[in-house]
Amino acid sequence: MTVGNLKLGVDVISAHNLLPKDGQGSSSACVELHFDSQRYRSTIKEKDLNPVWNESFYFNISEPSILHNLTLDAYIYNNVKATQSKSFLGKVSISGTSFVPYPDAVVLHYPLEKRGIFSRVRGELGLKVYITDDPSIKSSTPVSSAMENQVHSEPVHKEPVRHTFHTLPKQDNTEQHNHTSAIHEPSHHHETKYMVDEMKAPEPMPQKLVHMHSVTSAQPVDYALKETSPFLGGGRVVGGRVIRTDRITTGTYDLVEKMHFLFVRVVKARELPAMDITGSLDPYVEVKIGNYKGVTKHIEKQENPFWNVVFAFSKERMQASVLEVVVKDKDLVKDDYVGFVRFDLNEVPMRVPPDSPLAPEWYRLEDRKGMKIKGELMLAVWIGTQADEAFSDAWHSDAASPIDSSAAASALIRSKVYHAPRLWYVRVNVVEAQDLIPTEKTRFPDAYVKAQIGNQVMRTKPVQSRNFNPLWNEDLFFVAAEPFDDHLVLTVEDRVAPGKDEIIGRVIIPLSMVEKRADDRIFHSRWFNLEKPVVVDVDQLKKDKFSSRLHLRVCLDGGYHVLDESTHYSSDLRPTAKQLWRPPIGILELGILNATGLHPMKTRDGKGTSDTYCVAKYGHKWIRTRTIVDNLFPKYNEQYTWEVFDPATVLTVGVLDNSQLGEKGSNGNKDLKIGKVRIRISTLETGRIYTHSYPLLVLHPTGVKKMGELHLAIRFSCTSYANMLYIYSKPLLPKMHYVRPFTVMQLDMLRHQAVNIVATRLGRAEPPLRKEVVEYMSDVDSHLWSMRRSKANFFRLMSIFSGLFAVGKWSTDICMWKNPVTTVLVHILYLMLVSFPELILPTVFLYMFLIGIWNFRYRPRYPPHMNTKLSQAESVHPDELDEEFDTFPTSRNPDLIRMRYDRLRSVAGRIQTVVGDVATQGERVQSLLSWRDPRATAIFVTFCLLAALVLYVTPFQVIAALAGIYMLRHPRFRYRVPSVPVNFFRRLPARTDCLL
């Protein structure tokens, strides 16, 4: 689409049920359109409460980059001829994020809004709003100011005319002529007449128009978020609501476009005829329709086989009207033909849940000549949608290549719901050892304890004691997953010489026998006898009167949340112990609609293609859509639901390419990353449907790259608004994180172990969710050093401080009397506050309340998304990218430089995190009044109003005294968990979600 010639087209169609204003039970309505300092007016419809205009207007878009910040306002007025005045009937405001190209535009009937608190309106206004860029059609000459101020009456006996009145600044005729042009749309709903030299068909438009959403600085339009208006739930979604639908169909799958599938359930067969010379039969079933088929596995030597397999064929791809179900006998050379059953698709029944599943029936097999033969096949054939229970277990035709497919490979392409294992922290307090017997009895042991669970190994510090009873008193931490299959193995070792250790004894403790605790209560210690790791002589055992012992405290800590992802992107904050869980506050519904313009990830038959699937992660529940094979524009249309326990959590959706479908078997290949989307729950309004197309942005060694777009529909429904507001006052993490906190180093180590455990467990599922997918969704590399991330965090910090710099400049301007009126007002305010200090705090809170209310109209209407400008991904130096994609440790330089380089990266990674945390705190301060989290801002704005009222009637001295006493209160009155204001502040959203 040509950016320089963009125009906004508005078709004023009709209004319905307007409010009578002329005192005679009617109104004479006309519509005024305002956009980007331009104003047009329709004709007047005399004495009509349901007027029909069918008139079109076009606005010039001078700056397409700020289109999303502009608003189209449509006002309906009642015109009074006697007094040449007009009265307000209602208005409609349409945000720039809702503008779409002409092919996607539809007529929508918007309910009229009030202009003020006391105004009274009713009715609807039908508009069709779209973007067009055809520069070949010239517009009519703009009318003069006098003509513009005149109200035009409806022409008689004339067809509807497209009005192109433009209000423009004074300029020469050439510039004005280029600014105004009428756009002809060939498929418009009414006829439009043009001069012969103006008739020209427009060029094809793209299906979606880019609306840039960038809070700080503009990024490339192609990388911006797009708001869409798909047809979901029985109506078209506009502005988060379903608009003007005759029949709203609600159900399990109301956030995805309905897709129809032909389901074929092959249950079993009986009394099949023997085909081999030996009288045996190895049957399998082939289900074929047109160019697609599905094949069950063969069952050896069985005349009554049982399969119970479901096949699903997309109705969009059906190229035949006959379904054939063929039974064959597996042979080494050529499979024998047993018999078949044929179905006419026109006679297949439709099943709509909650109707009961279709019961399978026995069908007699026929031979090639159509004659009935021995043997029957039990089948069920029906047409259904994604809401069918068989959808998730079915083998899908759109997830496989034509003809070359089998049910045996369907596990790799089938949709699946995974549940991550419940993780526990294992706390091992190694207290002391007693009566150690080293190999060399002439010296005291230099002993330490090595603890191991699975692949996790930890060691205490070596202790050089002057006896055989060393004391450590160290805590070692591990991560374990239910069910507890591993054992805790503790080995006491003696450091005989540098690089030489000898084992003194060991203890094996099954984790299933370890005590669990949910708080910080003291757990009892136990003495464990050390066993020799090798078989010793029986005579030696008789001589040993005493056994070496190890003093331990071991428990499973269930009061923590086991962090397996970055806290900035955490999808779950609940403790491990289920008895500490709070009830859910809402339901999160995700509809994965489709992807468009995906970048080819492989080559097949000489052309680029991709075999893509989506993975979504929230809490313990992971989902994986079916793999759509050989398609760069896949349609998934799958919907999933999660319970939400905390609004300060993030949903992550990733798109990946399946590399396990190679001809030779490619289990060694890694699934390739295409891109991912992160959405913070607290930024979503309850009950609203968010339909956006998200660009899939990935950082490559050559720079940032757009890999396509992912179209999602999201809805967050609140079950208890009071509980959700109460959550804002609670600590972000469970109590144990504050009572007995971990160090930063411990958290990094435990997080790495937790991700490995989750990846191992999900990798053993069927189909497996591979390790690289789990690591990609969990952002395991987010803590590593990156010059680009450090610069991004630094500029985030500078953006926060820019407000303070602006205040300082404003103060300087006041002192320099640059604006005398403002300076005098500031002097008066200053003298008033000095004279009445009790007004300072209520004035500040009231001012913040007013700012919050004022910012409500500018609140974000879309979820935040990754910003390449904010991430410093556009202007990054190639050497910095090479550093970011370098291995750890580095492989670029010799040993000495490698050591220094890795040390620098490690230290700088800590600094990067600290700078990012500081920036996060500042961004949370900004989000207090920005309505990024609408509930949190509503709470704070209400608090500001109440605080202002209380402080107005309370003496300032009393407030200051109470605040000082509270700050200096006795430790007995202090709590170990953070206070309510601190908890509220930590839950506020920051811009970490927008970082690549």
Side-chain angles (χ1 to χ4, degrees):
M1 188 170 279
T2 307
V3 176
N5 296 313
L6 283 181
K7 292 179 177 60
L8 177 69
V10 182
D11 294 350
V12 181
I13 306 302
S14 62
H16 173 67
N17 195 25
L18 296 179
L19 193 70
K21 282 281 189 176
D22 58 359
Q24 301 177 5
S26 186
S27 292
S28 299
C30 73
V31 179
E32 281 192 8
L33 302 174
H34 298 252
F35 177 78
D36 197 13
S37 302
Q38 304 168 59
R39 183 180 60 168
Y40 309 138
R41 182 182 292 127
S42 71
T43 55
I44 299 176
K45 300 298 180 180
E46 299 286 349
K47 304 291 184 180
D48 192 353
L49 294 180
N50 299 284
V52 177
W53 286 281
N54 285 333
E55 301 176 11
S56 300
F57 305 89
Y58 294 94
F59 296 86
N60 285 321
I61 302 176
S62 57
E63 292 291 339
S65 60
I66 61 171
L67 180 60
H68 68 285
N69 288 329
L70 301 179
T71 302
L72 170 68
D73 294 319
Y75 298 89
I76 300 185
Y77 293 105
N78 170 52
N79 287 269
V80 183
K81 288 186 177 180
T83 60
Q84 293 296 320
S85 61
K86 57 186 180 181
S87 56
F88 181 76
L89 293 177
K91 73 169 185 176
V92 171
S93 295
I94 304 175
S95 172
T97 60
S98 302
F99 300 157
V100 297
Y102 183 84
D104 293 341
V106 295
V107 178
L108 298 177
H109 295 265
Y110 298 89
L112 296 178
E113 303 173 0
K114 297 181 180 179
R115 182 168 55 182
I117 300 178
F118 303 103
S119 61
R120 179 169 172 259
V121 300
R122 78 178 188 191
E124 298 173 329
L125 177 61
L127 299 175
K128 183 176 181 180
V129 184
Y130 50 89
I131 299 295
T132 185
D133 65 344
D134 189 350
S136 62
I137 305 301
K138 297 180 176 130
S139 67
S140 57
T141 305
V143 296
S144 62
S145 299
M147 185 177 181
E148 181 184 330
N149 293 331
Q150 181 182 356
V151 179
H152 300 276
S153 299
E154 180 183 7
V156 183
H157 303 297
K158 290 186 179 180
E159 297 181 355
V161 179
R162 289 180 179 265
H163 296 262
T164 54
F165 302 156
H166 293 260
T167 305
L168 298 173
K170 292 182 179 180
Q171 52 192 348
D172 57 40
N173 294 333
T174 304
E175 182 179 358
Q176 182 170 325
H177 175 77
N178 292 333
H179 253 286
T180 58
S181 61
I183 310 300
H184 172 55
E185 304 292 351
S187 59
H188 205 272
H189 59 274
H190 64 273
E191 183 181 358
T192 307
K193 293 187 177 181
Y194 293 96
M195 300 299 293
V196 175
D197 60 342
E198 292 180 345
M199 295 301 296
K200 185 177 180 181
E203 297 178 358
M205 297 184 189
Q207 289 300 314
K208 296 178 182 176
L209 178 71
V210 173
H211 304 298
M212 186 175 60
H213 296 253
S214 177
V215 179
T216 53
S217 53
Q219 62 173 343
V221 175
D222 198 35
Y223 294 166
L225 202 64
K226 303 175 185 177
E227 186 174 18
T228 61
S229 298
F231 192 84
L232 305 177
R236 188 171 292 276
V237 178
V238 177
R241 296 181 301 170
V242 179
I243 301 294
R244 292 293 289 178
T245 172
D246 297 332
R247 179 187 175 191
I248 301 179
T249 58
T250 58
T252 308
Y253 281 77
D254 61 338
L255 288 186
V256 292
E257 297 176 357
K258 184 181 295 184
M259 298 178 65
H260 287 91
F261 295 88
L262 173 66
F263 291 96
V264 181
R265 180 184 295 275
V266 181
V267 183
K268 58 184 177 179
R270 65 184 179 187
E271 300 178 359
L272 295 179
M275 304 299 294
D276 297 337
I277 300 177
T278 59
S280 63
L281 179 71
D282 303 330
Y284 69 92
V285 175
E286 181 180 282
V287 181
K288 184 177 180 181
I289 177 171
N291 206 27
Y292 291 89
K293 73 175 181 180
V295 182
T296 68
K297 64 180 180 180
H298 74 278
I299 301 177
E300 296 184 357
K301 299 180 179 180
Q302 179 60 259
E303 295 180 358
N304 300 295
F306 180 82
W307 294 283
N308 197 23
V309 177
V310 180
F311 299 92
F313 297 91
S314 175
K315 197 172 181 181
E316 294 181 354
R317 297 193 175 189
M318 290 185 186
Q319 300 175 351
S321 60
V322 176
L323 168 70
E324 290 186 355
V325 183
V326 184
V327 180
K328 293 186 177 182
D329 176 32
K330 186 72 174 179
D331 282 339
L332 294 176
V333 180
K334 183 179 180 181
D335 297 345
D336 295 328
Y337 188 93
V338 179
F340 76 96
V341 179
R342 182 173 294 172
F343 295 90
D344 187 349
L345 295 186
N346 297 323
E347 299 178 0
V348 174
M350 172 77 73
R351 186 213 165 196
V352 180
D355 293 349
S356 300
L358 195 66
E361 301 179 18
W362 286 104
Y363 293 89
R364 179 64 63 88
L365 296 177
E366 300 179 6
D367 59 12
R368 297 180 185 273
K369 299 179 180 179
M371 303 297 294
K372 299 292 184 181
I373 63 173
K374 179 184 177 183
E376 291 180 305
L377 188 62
M378 179 177 280
L379 298 171
V381 182
W382 73 96
I383 294 176
T385 64
Q386 307 101 306
D388 202 291
E389 293 87 346
F391 177 81
S392 60
D393 296 327
W395 176 91
H396 290 272
S397 65
D398 61 349
S401 301
I403 296 302
D404 184 19
S405 57
S406 66
S410 65
L412 295 174
I413 57 179
R414 187 179 297 169
S415 60
K416 183 75 173 181
V417 176
Y418 306 84
H419 285 278
R422 194 152 61 115
L423 303 178
W424 293 75
Y425 284 139
V426 182
R427 186 189 295 266
V428 182
N429 178 232
V430 182
V431 184
E432 59 181 332
Q434 191 178 71
D435 300 330
L436 294 183
I437 305 176
T439 305
E440 300 178 9
K441 298 183 179 181
T442 58
R443 68 175 186 85
F444 295 113
D446 184 9
Y448 67 91
V449 178
K450 182 177 74 173
Q452 181 174 358
I453 298 179
N455 296 326
Q456 307 173 63
V457 180
M458 295 287 293
R459 291 180 175 85
T460 65
K461 296 178 181 179
V463 174
Q464 295 180 345
S465 61
R466 296 187 176 182
N467 53 33
F468 296 100
N469 305 316
L471 176 67
W472 294 281
N473 197 24
E474 283 190 39
D475 280 338
L476 306 178
F477 295 95
F478 301 89
V479 179
E482 294 181 350
F484 302 113
D485 298 328
D486 295 325
H487 298 320
L488 169 63
V489 181
L490 297 110
T491 307
V492 181
E493 300 186 6
D494 179 19
R495 182 157 295 172
V496 180
K500 183 180 179 182
D501 300 330
E502 292 184 353
I503 299 177
I504 297 176
R506 70 180 180 185
V507 177
I508 300 177
I509 305 174
L511 289 180
S512 57
M513 305 299 293
V514 174
E515 179 184 5
K516 298 178 181 179
R517 69 170 185 174
D519 50 22
D520 60 336
R521 62 182 174 84
I522 302 298
F523 55 100
H524 300 290
S525 60
R526 288 181 56 190
W527 286 94
F528 294 88
N529 293 331
L530 291 177
E531 301 176 355
K532 293 293 183 180
V534 295
V535 179
V536 297
D537 189 13
V538 177
D539 296 334
Q540 182 67 28
L541 290 176
K542 293 180 179 179
K543 293 178 182 179
D544 294 339
K545 298 180 181 179
F546 301 99
S547 174
S548 301
R549 298 194 302 172
L550 188 61
H551 193 193
L552 301 172
R553 289 188 181 92
V554 184
C555 76
L556 292 167
D557 268 328
Y560 293 93
H561 167 68
V562 180
L563 296 168
D564 59 344
E565 53 195 343
S566 173
T567 52
H568 299 309
Y569 318 129
S570 183
S571 62
D572 189 12
L573 301 171
R574 293 173 293 173
T576 301
K578 287 188 176 181
Q579 61 265 32
L580 299 179
W581 289 7
R582 290 188 288 264
I585 61 172
I587 299 296
L588 176 66
E589 298 169 273
L590 170 68
I592 304 177
L593 301 177
N594 55 66
T596 58
L598 294 180
H599 186 76
M601 306 301 291
K602 62 185 67 169
T603 302
R604 182 179 292 136
D605 297 332
K607 66 176 183 177
T609 186
S610 291
D611 308 325
T612 59
Y613 64 93
C614 297
V615 175
K617 175 189 186 301
Y618 187 78
H620 289 171
K621 182 178 176 181
W622 295 61
I623 67 96
R624 167 181 176 156
T625 68
R626 66 191 190 280
T627 300
I628 307 298
V629 176
D630 198 15
N631 198 336
L632 298 180
F633 294 83
K635 291 184 178 181
Y636 304 100
N637 285 312
E638 298 185 25
Q639 184 171 337
Y640 299 92
T641 304
W642 288 267
E643 285 186 332
V644 177
F645 292 85
D646 197 306
T649 49
V650 176
L651 167 71
T652 304
V653 185
V655 183
L656 299 105
D657 178 77
N658 195 331
S659 301
Q660 315 307 315
L661 303 178
E663 297 179 358
K664 299 180 181 179
S666 51
N667 292 329
N669 295 343
K670 291 184 177 181
D671 288 353
L672 303 177
K673 313 165 188 174
I674 296 181
K676 64 184 171 185
V677 175
R678 289 191 293 256
I679 300 170
R680 184 171 293 272
I681 307 303
S682 62
T683 61
L684 303 177
E685 299 178 8
T686 55
R688 177 178 177 180
I689 301 176
Y690 291 86
T691 54
H692 290 83
S693 184
Y694 296 82
L696 300 172
L697 305 177
V698 176
L699 197 65
H700 288 278
T702 56
V704 66
K705 189 173 183 179
K706 180 179 176 181
M707 306 295 290
E709 295 183 3
L710 180 62
H711 194 191
L712 301 177
I714 303 169
R715 177 171 58 206
F716 172 52
S717 305
C718 176
T719 56
S720 175
Y721 203 79
N723 287 345
M724 182 167 57
L725 298 182
Y726 175 70
I727 287 292
Y728 280 90
S729 66
K730 304 301 291 182
L732 189 67
L733 293 171
K735 179 180 178 181
M736 285 290 290
H737 285 272
Y738 308 102
V739 175
R740 292 180 178 270
F742 293 110
T743 64
V744 176
M745 293 294 293
Q746 287 174 332
L747 284 177
D748 286 343
M749 183 269 297
L750 293 173
R751 182 183 294 116
H752 178 70
Q753 299 295 346
V755 172
N756 286 338
I757 291 176
V758 173
T760 301
R761 288 291 182 89
L762 297 182
R764 291 188 298 197
E766 186 63 34
L769 201 60
R770 298 178 62 85
K771 182 178 180 181
E772 63 269 15
V773 178
V774 177
E775 292 179 347
Y776 178 58
M777 299 292 290
S778 302
D779 288 300
V780 293
D781 297 331
S782 61
H783 65 285
L784 294 180
W785 161 258
S786 165
M787 180 67 74
R788 177 189 60 83
R789 288 198 193 100
S790 297
K791 290 197 300 184
N793 288 331
F794 174 77
F795 286 115
R796 287 171 58 204
L797 193 62
M798 295 303 295
S799 177
I800 297 301
F801 289 145
S802 63
L804 298 178
F805 300 153
V807 172
K809 185 178 182 301
W810 178 78
S811 302
T812 303
D813 293 343
I814 294 298
C815 297
M816 297 301 292
W817 286 77
K818 285 195 172 183
N819 190 333
V821 176
T822 304
T823 304
V824 170
L825 293 177
V826 170
H827 277 73
I828 295 174
L829 178 62
Y830 176 75
L831 293 176
M832 182 182 67
L833 294 179
V834 168
S835 303
F836 304 98
E838 62 273 11
L839 297 181
I840 295 177
L841 285 179
T843 302
V844 171
F845 279 108
L846 184 60
Y847 183 65
M848 289 192 292
F849 168 77
L850 295 176
I851 292 177
I853 295 299
W854 177 260
N855 287 343
F856 177 77
R857 60 182 299 183
Y858 304 110
R859 67 191 186 280
R861 306 298 182 120
Y862 53 90
H865 188 52
M866 298 174 184
N867 191 310
T868 56
K869 189 76 172 180
L870 181 69
S871 304
Q872 296 293 310
E874 297 176 358
S875 58
V876 62
H877 193 273
D879 181 65
E880 297 174 1
L881 285 174
D882 180 72
E883 177 188 38
E884 184 169 349
F885 283 93
D886 190 11
T887 58
F888 191 87
T890 180
S891 58
R892 298 290 191 271
N893 299 307
D895 293 341
L896 179 62
I897 301 179
R898 181 184 299 130
M899 181 271 294
R900 294 175 178 175
Y901 185 53
D902 291 342
R903 181 177 59 188
L904 173 63
R905 295 171 74 188
S906 178
V907 174
R910 307 285 178 202
I911 299 174
Q912 159 187 305
T913 303
V914 172
V915 174
D917 290 341
V918 174
T920 297
Q921 307 311 315
E923 289 168 351
R924 286 172 175 166
V925 173
Q926 287 183 334
S927 65
L928 281 171
L929 300 174
S930 66
W931 296 92
R932 168 61 66 192
D933 183 346
R935 290 166 290 274
T937 304
I939 293 174
F940 184 74
V941 168
T942 305
F943 168 77
C944 290
L945 178 61
L946 295 177
L949 297 176
V950 171
L951 293 173
Y952 270 123
V953 299
T954 306
F956 178 78
Q957 293 82 354
V958 174
I959 299 296
L962 293 176
I965 294 173
Y966 178 78
M967 295 296 296
L968 300 174
R969 68 192 186 279
H970 193 273
R972 180 181 301 174
F973 302 104
R974 299 179 185 269
Y975 296 96
R976 289 184 291 181
V977 297
S979 61
V980 171
V982 174
N983 297 332
F984 178 84
F985 181 77
R986 287 178 178 174
R987 290 183 174 278
L988 294 173
R991 304 183 64 197
T992 53
D993 305 333
C994 303
L995 290 177
L996 280 174

